[in-house]
Amino acid sequence: MDWNLLKCGIGGHVSYAPDEPAVRARLRSTSAAGEAWRCLRCGTFVPGAPSARGPAAKAPAVRRGKELRSAFILRLFAVERFLRAIAVAVIAYAIWRFKYSRSSIEQAFDRELPVVRTLLRSLGFNIDHSKLIGLIRHAFTLDPRTLTWLAWAAAGYALIELLESIGLWLLQRWGEYFAMVATSAGIPYEIYDLTSKVTVLRAAFFAVNLALVVYLVLTKRLFGARGGKRAYDARLRSESVIDSALAARDGPGTPAGPEAETYPDVPADGTDVLADPIDVSEERADVPADGADVPEERADVPEERADVPAERADVPDGGGVPANGSAAGPVSQGQPGPAPRR
């Protein structure tokens, strides 16, 4: 799944026109429909005017790729935390109301319990040994001070879950740290609870909390994990379209223009410069430094048999004969030499 295209399809493209000409040229294109600007999320060129203008440093921070997937997962955790906060808040309110209406609730419970017991017994359930009934009966024996502490504890836990959900939904760094610390604090108790008895509900809560902690530490690089915040920010900059354009502009030897992405080896000024200059040393060159056409020790044709052109022959200007007497006068162009001896 391409998260960039999915997000642009739902929320629309995000284009930006920076004031810097070099960066602006990399984000702008011309088509038959007119000018088009590159989307900072999906990278496609969108016809029409840009969404915003200004300095490149003021460009909006747009989440791309894995960050969009991470945002979706964190918001799922935020919804789960919000539902948990509502449930605990309802429990806190019920305890608070129970404190001031305990006598009436106890009378209503004793009045309705036989009816409920008879109904459930006809269905094959015996509630005489139910833990829920035992918990309710134990609650009637609690003093008001204990009920007050229980109500405040439940309200505090609901507030923590609410803060977790807000921080995770807003995708804030503080929310990630807060959710990780608050969730980790309850894991030891959940492990102890599982050692006493394993139930589906306990195992589900433990799995969700453990998955959230591991996910936050590894993907968000909390507490220095996998390079910490510096490595996390570096990865975000490497995925940013505007930051990549800035890095290409500031990089040494990098052309500034839209053609640079297609032809990276051609400089902006149009000069013909080899990408990998050839280093030819004197001992590897085929032409000696003194200007002779062929070194004497590497010539394939002996001197007395060579067809030497007139303009390149080593003959004195006056037409004299060389010392070896191989020729009787100036050598004419294209004239063959003496026949080889057999």
Side-chain angles (χ1 to χ4, degrees):
M1 178 186 294
D2 193 332
W3 291 91
N4 297 324
L5 293 178
L6 178 63
K7 181 64 176 178
C8 287
I10 296 175
H13 296 283
V14 181
S15 55
Y16 188 78
D19 295 337
E20 294 81 356
V23 184
R24 184 187 185 94
R26 290 181 173 273
L27 301 180
R28 184 181 179 275
S29 179
T30 304
S31 63
E35 68 172 2
W37 294 88
R38 191 176 184 184
C39 177
L40 299 184
R41 181 183 293 117
C42 64
T44 59
F45 284 89
V46 183
S51 303
R53 302 174 183 268
K58 300 294 184 181
V62 181
R63 297 180 181 272
R64 306 184 68 217
K66 294 182 179 179
E67 282 301 304
L68 291 175
R69 182 183 62 185
S70 176
F72 176 76
I73 294 175
L74 289 182
R75 283 178 172 171
L76 285 181
F77 281 115
V79 171
E80 185 269 336
R81 289 299 192 264
F82 182 73
L83 295 177
R84 187 183 297 189
I86 293 178
V88 177
V90 170
I91 294 175
Y93 177 76
I95 295 175
W96 189 264
R97 288 297 304 269
F98 178 78
K99 172 186 174 181
Y100 293 100
S101 306
R102 180 168 55 179
S103 59
S104 59
I105 294 175
E106 185 174 5
Q107 293 176 1
F109 176 77
D110 293 336
R111 183 177 62 253
E112 300 296 337
L113 181 60
V115 179
V116 175
R117 182 187 293 113
T118 303
L119 176 62
L120 293 179
R121 184 173 295 174
S122 63
L123 297 175
F125 295 98
N126 185 8
I127 64 173
D128 292 335
H129 303 287
S130 173
K131 290 185 177 181
L132 179 61
I133 299 299
L135 182 63
I136 295 175
R137 291 189 180 278
H138 178 68
F140 290 137
T141 62
L142 296 177
D143 58 275
R145 185 177 181 180
T146 303
L147 292 174
T148 301
W149 281 110
L150 288 176
W152 280 111
Y157 184 71
L159 180 60
I160 291 175
E161 295 297 319
L162 181 62
L163 290 177
E164 285 187 50
S165 65
I166 293 175
L168 293 176
W169 183 267
L170 297 178
L171 306 175
Q172 296 295 318
R173 190 75 175 174
W174 66 264
E176 297 166 358
Y177 271 102
F178 184 82
M180 186 268 173
V181 173
T183 306
S184 300
I187 287 181
Y189 174 77
E190 293 179 356
I191 295 176
Y192 171 77
D193 209 17
L194 285 173
T195 56
S196 61
K197 184 178 181 180
V198 178
T199 62
V200 176
L201 188 60
R202 292 177 182 178
F205 277 120
F206 175 74
V208 170
N209 291 336
L210 184 62
L212 177 61
V213 171
V214 174
Y215 184 80
L216 287 176
V217 172
L218 294 182
T219 61
K220 300 303 179 180
R221 306 171 191 255
L222 303 182
F223 298 101
R226 300 177 60 198
K229 189 176 186 300
R230 181 177 299 179
Y232 178 74
D233 293 338
R235 184 176 66 83
L236 291 183
R237 288 193 299 270
S238 66
E239 296 178 354
S240 172
V241 173
I242 195 74
D243 287 343
S244 299
L246 288 172
R249 181 200 63 176
D250 299 336
T254 304
E259 296 80 8
E261 297 182 2
T262 308
Y263 308 101
D265 295 334
V266 181
D269 56 2
T271 57
D272 297 333
V273 180
L274 294 176
D276 297 322
I278 302 175
D279 185 12
V280 181
S281 58
E282 291 185 1
E283 61 273 15
R284 295 179 57 191
D286 294 335
V287 181
D290 57 358
D293 293 338
V294 180
E296 187 173 330
E297 64 275 12
R298 297 182 58 187
D300 296 333
V301 182
E303 186 177 353
E304 64 272 8
R305 297 174 57 188
D307 297 335
V308 182
E311 66 273 15
R312 297 174 65 183
D314 297 333
V315 180
D317 296 335
V321 181
N324 58 4
S326 61
V331 180
S332 61
Q333 182 176 2
Q335 184 178 4
R341 298 177 183 179
R342 296 185 180 274

